[in-house]
Amino acid sequence: MTDKHHQRPHRAAADTGPRLAPLSEDGWDPSTRELLAPIPRDADGHLANVFTTLVRHPGLFRHFLPFGSHLLRDGRLPDRTRELLILRTACNTRAGYEWGRHVPLARAAGVTDEEIRRVGEGPGAQGWLPADVRLLRAADELHRDARLSAATWSALAADHDEAQLIEITMLVGQYHMVAFFLNSAGTRLEPGFETESLPAPTGAGADADAAEGAHGDA
């Protein structure tokens, strides 16, 4: 066996396209059109790639959409709370697509540009209100430990009722699941959303995470 067999292979060049391409509208069959009909279109008249990709699994999509829409539009959490949790989850999962789509929603919910930048630094950054620290810490604990600590649960309970506490855990879990799909499928941000760059990771392992996620801005 020659030396070349012992050498580590070079990493393959990053693929510039998604692993699963969105379904083009001219290829939608009637059932696909029915599934996608309730979804609001972007300003350019197109649907977001997350939906036109996920609809490749129509049975799952049919059940996914009502749950996701409920959390996004009809949930019990204030809009600002919801978007802070989603943005921090996008940072934790290195989900550039999720980040890019939700930055405009966060702004509309009253999150300032400085706060959006600070989300990448986490709950330890200077300038957060105590209530925001609790939310970001909750997102981090759920990401890291798959549970809220007793201290964080108790602190959140001072600001939220039982239904909202449930929704915090389910919301973070939902956007982890969506991030797994987006990152794995290689879903690309649409024009107009690409300017919202995912903040660089901070803390231990940040360099490795950044390198690994450099091609996964989905």
Side-chain angles (χ1 to χ4, degrees):
M1 187 176 289
T2 62
D3 289 343
K4 69 178 180 181
H5 292 106
H6 296 285
Q7 295 172 355
R8 291 186 63 185
H10 293 295
R11 239 179 170 176
D15 187 0
T16 57
R19 292 171 175 171
L20 288 176
L23 284 177
S24 175
E25 186 163 1
D26 58 12
W28 297 354
D29 60 23
S31 62
T32 299
R33 290 186 182 278
E34 179 186 358
L35 286 172
L36 294 171
I39 302 171
R41 293 176 179 252
D42 289 339
D44 63 1
H46 294 92
L47 290 178
N49 290 337
V50 59
F51 300 117
T52 54
T53 305
L54 188 59
V55 79
R56 288 182 174 278
H57 190 331
L60 187 150
F61 186 92
R62 189 180 301 276
H63 295 283
F64 164 84
L65 191 62
F67 180 67
S69 297
H70 179 84
L71 286 173
L72 188 61
R73 307 186 189 285
D74 301 313
R76 297 283 298 272
L77 296 173
D79 292 351
R80 185 178 185 278
T81 294
R82 180 194 68 232
E83 293 305 321
L84 281 175
L85 289 167
I86 293 172
L87 288 183
R88 186 59 183 166
T89 299
C91 284
N92 285 334
T93 56
R94 311 309 302 151
Y97 186 97
E98 203 164 81
W99 177 269
R101 293 292 309 196
H102 278 271
V103 163
L105 297 178
R107 289 194 182 110
V111 184
T112 68
D113 284 347
E114 170 58 25
E115 288 171 330
I116 289 169
R117 181 200 62 77
R118 203 187 304 146
V119 166
E121 300 178 20
Q126 295 296 316
W128 289 118
L129 295 172
D132 294 337
V133 171
R134 292 191 282 272
L135 290 172
L136 298 175
R137 185 174 294 133
D140 285 3
E141 287 182 358
L142 289 167
H143 175 72
R144 183 185 65 239
D145 304 325
R147 64 180 297 168
L148 295 176
S149 67
T152 297
W153 178 275
S154 179
L156 288 171
D159 303 324
H160 302 88
D161 61 26
E162 289 180 350
Q164 289 175 319
L165 289 171
I166 292 170
E167 194 166 313
I168 286 170
T169 63
M170 297 294 282
L171 178 76
V172 173
Q174 156 80 353
Y175 280 90
H176 271 79
M177 179 177 68
V178 173
F180 296 160
F181 161 66
L182 293 167
N183 290 348
S184 298
T187 306
R188 298 299 189 252
L189 277 165
E190 300 79 12
F193 293 89
E194 297 168 325
T195 57
E196 306 297 349
S197 300
L198 186 68
T202 59
D207 292 340
D209 288 346
E212 187 66 26
H215 308 308
D217 295 338

